[in-house]
Structures are given as structure tokens and as C-alpha cells.
Amino acid sequence: MIVRCRLRLLIGLCCLVPTLSGCSDRFLAGPMQYVENDALTKEVKGKNSLAGKPRLQDKVRNALAKLYGEKPDRMIVSEGMGVLLTGGGARLASYQKVGESKLRNLGPDRKPIAGGYGLYRRNCLHCHGVSGAGDGPTAAYLYPIPRDYRKGLFKFTSTPFGARPHRDDLKRTITNGLHGTSMPAFEALMSSDEIEQVIDYVIFLSVRGETELELIELGALSDETDMSALSMDDARQAAESVFNKWKTAQTAIINPPVPAPPSTPKSIHHGRDLFLGRTKEKLDCVGCHGALAQGDGPTFVSQDVFNKVVFGGNPSEKEERLKQFDEKTREVWTQKLDDWGNPVRPANLNRGVYKGGRRPIDLYWRISKGINGANMPPGPNDAAVIWDVVNFVLALPYQPELLTNAPAPPAAQAPAVANR
Ligand code: HEC
Ligand code: HEC
């Protein structure tokens, strides 16, 4: 207990808490280096970069090392970030260094813990990569590819569109996995306490990665010869603004103002008409999801083109395969990449498989506030309207006739539907 109190104090004082990997730790197999963001040293299409600015590049490297630690197994947690993490960040690893002494971290059962870093290395790294860039050795072979945490953007959240996720959102993703993707459910593999530890580490990587991006943006606006550019104060401020986005999100869960109505035929049919864009709200789900909700709306390239490019050969030669298609197709392709620059498809809503969960509230969040970074925009503001759409979406896999036998739209609205 005494030790715990001392720790709080030290972390509270913004003391550095570098955590050390002990040789005896069975979870860790050797030292590792963070992978730098490409834009730090190379030209990246459509992005600001520090290519050709070696002095500013070094400033970014030094700032990151001071703020977050030089290597993955020597993390630093500042007071600002500590508030986002359990134990103020103390559970990021199996050990922590306080002053001259090294302390083993213990779980609720008083047994040594692996810590977020150890658990991540064992369970997540081969997909999500050392720096959380979604570039682990397995990643290239997967569709969709694992999340790059460094934008701070997460898809399956309960917070407003564009906001950082709530811890509970990450907990749901890690516990249940993302159905229909290779993101596994860790419920049977990790205890609830271990999932909390790994969440700390995901947040750590995300915050570190977003700070790196912010510093690159800042550096891109600065002159390589300006000695005062990218000072340590600038870096601390950038980090602070990243923490603050996470802090705000922890109290920003969207709660529907009215509860879910019963799934009556009336509600389902109204939801169907909303989906088809036949109501005054003029929703455009069909443009992306298609008239039969098979994920083949006209605003995306056809499923056939998609399959040929994404699954038609070596994963690293997608660009090459894209070249066989006409200019129009290539343009649509480029417009419909997700915010990470990867191909994405609207969901086929006939399957009853939802990445972000199948509870009504999960679908409420997806439809009302959209899916961050994935080309699915926020829906209407009216909660009652959204609930009817949710009831329709949940009914569709069991009642495909809702769309296959949908009554023709009223004559006056026919042209609007035909245009889609
Ligand atoms: C086999 C590969 C694989 C492994 C292992 C894996 N993931 Fe994932 N993960 C994915 C994929 C793929 C996605 C993205 C799916 C998508 O975008 O639709 C993802 C997405 C995520 C997301 C983002 C969710 C969101 O709302 O955007 C988080 C958080 C995450 N994984 C955490 C973890 C953690 C923590 C571990 C280890 C305990 C882990 N993952 C292990 C493949 C993996
Ligand atoms: C601009 C295109 C676009 C529009 C408009 C759009 N969606 Fe989507 N939707 C997508 C994409 C893309 C995905 C898949 C995202 C992913 O897998 O990362 C998706 C996924 C979904 C999902 C699956 C969520 C999950 O957990 O897997 C549902 C449900 C959904 N959309 C419903 C709707 C409804 C209802 C509307 C109309 C109110 C709508 N969408 C409008 C593009 C769109």
C-alpha cells in the first residue's frame, strides 16, 4: 500500500516512469525500436512531410523521446497523459522504475502482471505493429487491414463523429473483436484486468503517434533554418492538445434522448422507407449500400472491380492491378479510400454481421453518428427516425422481402430514386 501511495505521488508530480523489461520476463523477447511515421523523412502523396529537413526531423525525434521515451520498453508517462490510464500509467509494463529502484507491477490477485506493453507484444503486435501503425508482419495479408492508431481515429465508438473513443469503446472492440474482420475477440484469452492494461497501451501508442503527426504538421510549416522552430514547449503543447481530445471524449458518450421503440412492422416499414430515401428526410443510404443493401451502391466501384484489385493477387500490387481499369473507375476508387488510405466497402446489411456490435444501441451509434474515417457519414438528428432505421436494419437479414418486394415509391418521388 505504501508503495502504491508513493507511486501516485511520483506520477502526480509528473515524474518520469520509465518501465524496464527484465530479462526474466517471459512475455518479452528482445529490444525493439519504434517505426517512424513515413512523413517524417519521405514525401508522402497528399500529406505534409519533413522530407529534406533533417534538423527538424531530429527535433521531432528528440521531442518524442523526451515526451514518451526513446524505446517501446522504456516508456515515459507525463502527468497529462497519466490521467487517461489506469494507475496513472503504472500498468503499461511489468516493471516500473521509481527513482533508483525497480518495482514489479502486481495485479488484483497480487501476482505479477505482463503490463499493457507485454500483452500487446504477445497478442496484438503481429497485426498492429510496434508503433501501432497497423503494419505488423501479418497486416499486409489481411482485408481490412489492422487499425493504424496514430491518427487517433477509431471507427466503432459511442462518442461524436470525429471524436476520440471512450475507453469502453476500446474495451468492447478488444473483448468482442470486430465481426467479419480478422480482429479477434480476446474475451477468452485475457482477463478483464488484462484488457484494461492493453487499452492503456493502445491509448499510449495512439497519443504518441498523433503527437508525432502533429509535430510533422507543425514542422512542415516551419523553415529548416529557423532555430526556434519546434521547440520543446511547442512539442509539449502539441502533446497536451492530443491528451485533451482523449480527455474530452471520456465524458462525451452519446445517449439516445428516447429509448428504442419496439420492433413493430410499422417501425420497420418506416425504417425501410427512410433507408430507401423515400421520406422527407431524404436519407441516402442506398447511394452507398445499394437498393438491396448488398453493399454495392453506385457511389462505390462495383464489387467485381473491388475483388479484382484487393484480392486479385499479391497484396502489395493493388496499384498495379488498378491500372487495368478506365480513368473514371480509378477516380471513384481514389475518392472512396478510407481516411487511412485503404480500400473500404459499405457493409452488406443482409448478412446480420456488424463489426461494431449487433445490439440496437451499437447500430444506433453507427447510424446516428457515422463511422469515423470510413466514408460513412453521420445520419439524421432525430432519434425516433434513427431507431426506426435500426429496427429495419436488424429485421432485414430475416426478412429480405422488405427490400426485394419493396412497394414502388409514390409517382412524384420516382425520379429521385431512379437517379441513384
Ligand atoms: C489478426 C490480426 C489482429 C490482431 C491479432 C489484433 N487485431 Fe485489432 N484489428 C485488426 C483489424 C483487421 C482491425 C480493423 C478492422 C476494420 O477496420 O474494420 C482491428 C482494429 C482494432 C481496433 C480499432 C477499433 C475501432 O473502433 O476502430 C482496436 C482498438 C484494436 N484492433 C485493438 C487490438 C488489440 C488491443 C489487440 C491485441 C489484444 C488486437 N487489436 C489484435 C486485426 C487484429
Ligand atoms: C457515403 C457512403 C455511406 C452512406 C451514405 C451510408 N453508409 Fe453505412 N457504411 C458505409 C461504409 C463504407 C461502411 C463500412 C465501414 C467499415 O466497414 O469500416 C458502412 C457500414 C454500415 C453499417 C455496418 C456497421 C457495422 O458495425 O459493421 C451499417 C449498419 C450501415 N452502414 C448503415 C447505414 C445506413 C442505415 C445508412 C443511411 C442512413 C448508411 N449506412 C449510409 C458507407 C455509407
Side-chain angles (χ1 to χ4, degrees):
M1 207 48 222
I2 295 169
V3 172
R4 283 184 170 243
C5 295
R6 263 183 61 210
L7 287 183
R8 285 242 171 83
L9 185 68
L10 287 166
I11 295 161
L13 287 172
C14 187
C15 188
L16 308 186
V17 190
T19 49
L20 297 175
S21 62
C23 336
S24 62
D25 195 318
R26 67 196 164 94
F27 299 111
L28 308 177
M32 284 191 306
Q33 302 287 340
Y34 287 119
V35 179
E36 293 179 345
N37 196 306
D38 280 349
L40 184 63
T41 49
K42 296 180 206 139
E43 298 282 357
V44 182
K45 212 166 107 194
K47 287 192 200 147
N48 286 327
S49 93
L50 294 187
K53 294 182 171 177
R55 211 178 54 80
L56 290 177
Q57 289 169 11
D58 274 341
K59 282 201 163 183
V60 174
R61 288 188 189 107
N62 290 338
L64 285 176
K66 281 203 182 117
L67 289 168
Y68 302 106
E70 204 178 335
K71 293 188 185 149
D73 61 355
R74 294 181 72 85
M75 283 163 266
I76 293 174
V77 179
S78 69
E79 186 184 18
M81 179 162 57
V83 300
L84 296 168
L85 310 175
T86 61
R91 284 147 39 93
L92 281 168
S94 49
Y95 287 94
Q96 52 185 305
K97 197 173 162 207
V98 178
E100 286 311 303
S101 51
K102 218 168 106 178
L103 295 178
R104 217 181 211 302
N105 285 326
L106 302 179
D109 54 4
R110 313 299 302 155
K111 292 205 178 111
I113 59 167
Y117 169 66
L119 291 164
Y120 181 86
R121 254 186 98 151
R122 189 169 51 170
N123 296 291
C124 323
L125 182 142
H126 67 95
C127 284
H128 288 279
V130 178
S131 309
D135 61 352
T138 317
Y141 304 97
L142 303 176
Y143 173 80
I145 70 163
R147 182 75 61 258
D148 176 350
Y149 305 138
R150 302 171 307 170
K151 277 180 178 293
L153 271 190
F154 293 80
K155 288 182 186 175
F156 305 106
T157 60
S158 56
T159 51
F161 189 61
R164 298 296 161 267
H166 192 276
R167 273 188 83 95
D168 288 352
D169 298 329
L170 301 178
K171 182 150 198 178
R172 259 194 317 277
T173 294
I174 300 166
T175 308
N176 306 332
L178 300 175
H179 294 192
T181 82
S182 59
M183 168 68 201
F186 285 94
E187 188 165 23
L189 298 170
M190 284 192 224
S191 68
S192 163
D193 188 60
E194 286 176 323
I195 292 180
E196 294 293 350
Q197 294 166 39
V198 91
I199 291 173
D200 284 344
Y201 195 62
V202 169
I203 297 177
F204 177 86
L205 287 179
S206 176
V207 164
R208 182 189 176 280
E210 198 181 351
T211 308
E212 181 183 28
L213 270 177
E214 298 265 323
L215 293 177
I216 293 173
E217 291 289 328
L218 208 62
L221 301 174
S222 316
D223 199 303
E224 170 77 348
T225 55
D226 176 359
M227 298 312 266
S228 65
L230 279 190
S231 68
M232 205 47 217
D233 272 352
D234 293 338
R236 280 202 192 87
Q237 244 175 35
E240 195 71 24
S241 81
V242 176
F243 307 148
N244 282 340
K245 285 190 245 178
W246 279 87
K247 278 180 214 159
T248 318
Q250 304 316 301
T251 52
I253 292 187
I254 292 176
N255 288 309
V258 292
S263 178
T264 56
K266 186 168 172 242
S267 166
I268 293 172
H269 287 140
H270 184 224
R272 186 258 319 274
D273 292 345
L274 283 156
F275 180 85
L276 290 173
R278 292 180 183 171
T279 62
K280 63 177 174 10
E281 287 81 4
K282 292 268 173 273
L283 303 189
D284 189 19
C285 314
V286 167
C288 295
H289 288 277
L292 295 179
Q294 289 172 339
D296 55 358
T299 57
F300 278 73
V301 298
S302 73
Q303 185 72 54
D304 185 45
V305 171
F306 189 85
N307 288 348
K308 283 191 176 129
V309 177
V310 175
F311 304 114
N314 192 324
S316 63
E317 288 163 8
K318 286 193 198 78
E319 292 288 324
E320 279 304 308
R321 289 194 289 281
L322 186 59
K323 286 189 185 145
Q324 62 181 294
F325 297 100
D326 61 39
E327 201 184 324
K328 175 95 199 339
T329 306
R330 293 202 305 269
E331 200 186 308
V332 175
W333 178 275
T334 317
Q335 283 166 4
K336 292 297 179 183
L337 293 174
D338 69 14
D339 284 10
W340 295 269
N342 302 313
V344 65
R345 291 246 14 116
N348 179 344
L349 302 177
N350 295 269
R351 292 205 183 117
V353 174
Y354 312 103
K355 293 181 178 179
R358 52 175 304 115
R359 297 172 307 167
I361 185 66
D362 296 319
L363 290 162
Y364 182 94
W365 283 326
R366 296 307 80 80
I367 296 167
S368 65
K369 55 181 224 59
I371 303 180
N372 295 322
N375 269 317
M376 160 117 172
N381 279 329
D382 185 338
V385 161
I386 294 165
W387 279 127
D388 285 345
V389 180
V390 170
N391 279 341
F392 158 71
V393 168
L394 285 172
L396 181 65
Y398 307 97
Q399 301 176 46
E401 66 279 7
L402 283 167
L403 290 179
T404 49
N405 292 340
Q413 288 186 17
V417 174
N419 280 343
R420 293 204 169 93

